[in-house]
């Protein structure tokens, strides 16, 4: 029986109802583009998300109608419906969902007459190709190709196409032969709705390593602040005890407080200060014991200087011997080749 004029087909009504149920029964709704995604890749994505999310592909007009029929900020997703659009409904955290969707992307070559979304640079160096007609194809694409040691090489690093430029067919062929796949094809997230908030990719794309480093930096700064402010926590207690012990020890030594734990340091300090004073006194002001101490100190100093001098001379002799050997080797080569 033909549909009644002016009344939408039954399948459209059912699809809108299905979408409304999806929108109201899932806290997280993603609007994604599947432009350039192959049927095989989409099947793989569906299998991967089988137990994680619902993926629905339908007409944009039906998606918009279903969004109009629900209440709340989810209506804002209409601004992101366009081109080839799919709906993904899930209970997964939106940031995790975004990451999972990004992982569906696979490296892909640029196609002829496609607008390149990125700069594509070909690095200089050898290729895997032996000399042959392919060198002409590479040169036609604008690559400085040449033959060296039985291989085709790229002589200089070249940006063969810039972002926003149309990819020439010869450039696309050359990149494909070089197995350069500068773009990734997969489900592109346009927006994700999460419990009243619409999140866009610039918010969802989190640099996990940077966040981890930021947490580590914050922890280090907080620990330093707590230690310097003598704020006791399980993390700072041991550090504060060690710091207090060292501060007390240094105070006792500098203030000459006679305590058992610092007596050896105080004696060494007194001896060093005494020897410093003795070194600037005239000889007639010293008794025999002090003269002996000064004499021994001078001898020790002389021995140390002698050792240093001997090590320096040995190093110089070693360098001279190596230079001599190099000169002899050069003379030998000169005599050999005339």
């Amino acid at each position: 029986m033909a549909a009644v004029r002016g009344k939408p087909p039954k399948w459209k009504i059912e699809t809108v109802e299905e979408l409304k149920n999806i929108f109201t029964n899932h806290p997280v709704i993603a609007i994604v583009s599947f432009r350039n995604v192959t049927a095989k890749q989409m099947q793989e994505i569906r299998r991967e998300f089988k137990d994680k999310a619902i993926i629905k592909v339908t007409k944009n007009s039906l998606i918009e109608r279903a969004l109009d029929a629900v209440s709340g900020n989810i209506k804002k997703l209409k601004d992101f419906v366009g081109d080839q659009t799919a709906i993904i409904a899930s209970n997964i955290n939106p940031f995790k969902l975004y990451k999972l969707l990004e992982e569906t992307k696979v490296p892909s070559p640029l196609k002829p007459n496609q607008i390149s979304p990125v700069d594509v640079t070909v690095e200089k160096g050898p290729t895997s190709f032996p000399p042959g007609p392919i060198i002409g194809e590479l040169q036609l694409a604008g690559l400085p190709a040449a033959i060296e040691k039985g291989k085709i090489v790229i002589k200089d690093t070249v940006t063969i196409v810039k972002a926003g430029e149309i990819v020439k067919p010869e450039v696309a062929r050359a990149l494909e032969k070089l197995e350069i796949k500068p773009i990734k094809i997969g489900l592109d997230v346009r927006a994700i709705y999460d419990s009243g908030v619409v999140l866009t990719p610039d918010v969802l794309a989190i640099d996990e390593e940077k966040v981890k480093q930021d947490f580590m930096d914050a922890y280090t700064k907080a620990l330093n602040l707590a230690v310097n402010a003598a704020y006791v926590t399980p993390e700072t207690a041991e550090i504060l005890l060690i710091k207090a012990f060292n501060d007390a020890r240094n105070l006792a030594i500098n203030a000459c407080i006679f305590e058992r734990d610092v007596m050896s340091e105080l004696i060494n300090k007194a001896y060093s200060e005494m020897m410093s004073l003795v070194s600037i006194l005239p000889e007639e002001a010293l008794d025999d014991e002090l003269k002996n101490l000064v004499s021994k100190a001078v001898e020790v100093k002389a021995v140390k200087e002698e050792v240093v001098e001997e090590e320096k001379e040995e190093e110089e002799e070693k360098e001279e011997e190596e230079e001599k050997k190099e000169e002899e080797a050069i003379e030998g080569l000169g005599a050999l080749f005339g």
Side-chain angles (χ1 to χ4, degrees), residues 122-131 134-135 138 143-155 174 177-178 180:
V122 179
E123 300 292 338
K124 68 177 182 179
T127 70
S128 59
F129 303 112
I134 190 174
I135 190 172
L138 297 178
L143 293 171
I147 299 173
E148 288 183 3
K149 299 179 180 180
K151 291 284 186 182
I152 295 177
V153 300
I154 307 300
K155 300 290 290 182
K177 288 184 180 296
L178 292 170
I180 295 176

Side-chain angles (χ1 to χ4, degrees), residues 200-220:
T200 51
D202 58 320
V203 176
L204 294 163
I206 295 176
D207 186 339
E208 294 184 10
E209 290 302 319
K210 183 179 183 302
V211 172
K212 188 184 297 184
Q213 187 60 50
D214 288 343
F215 272 112
M216 293 172 64
D217 292 343
Y219 175 83
T220 301

Side-chain angles (χ1 to χ4, degrees), residues 53 67 102-103 118 176 209 213 281 289 291 308 316:
L67 288 170
E102 285 295 297
E103 290 172 354
V118 294
E176 188 172 1
E209 290 302 319
Q213 187 60 50
L281 291 174
E289 183 179 358
K291 287 179 181 179
V308 171
E316 290 176 352

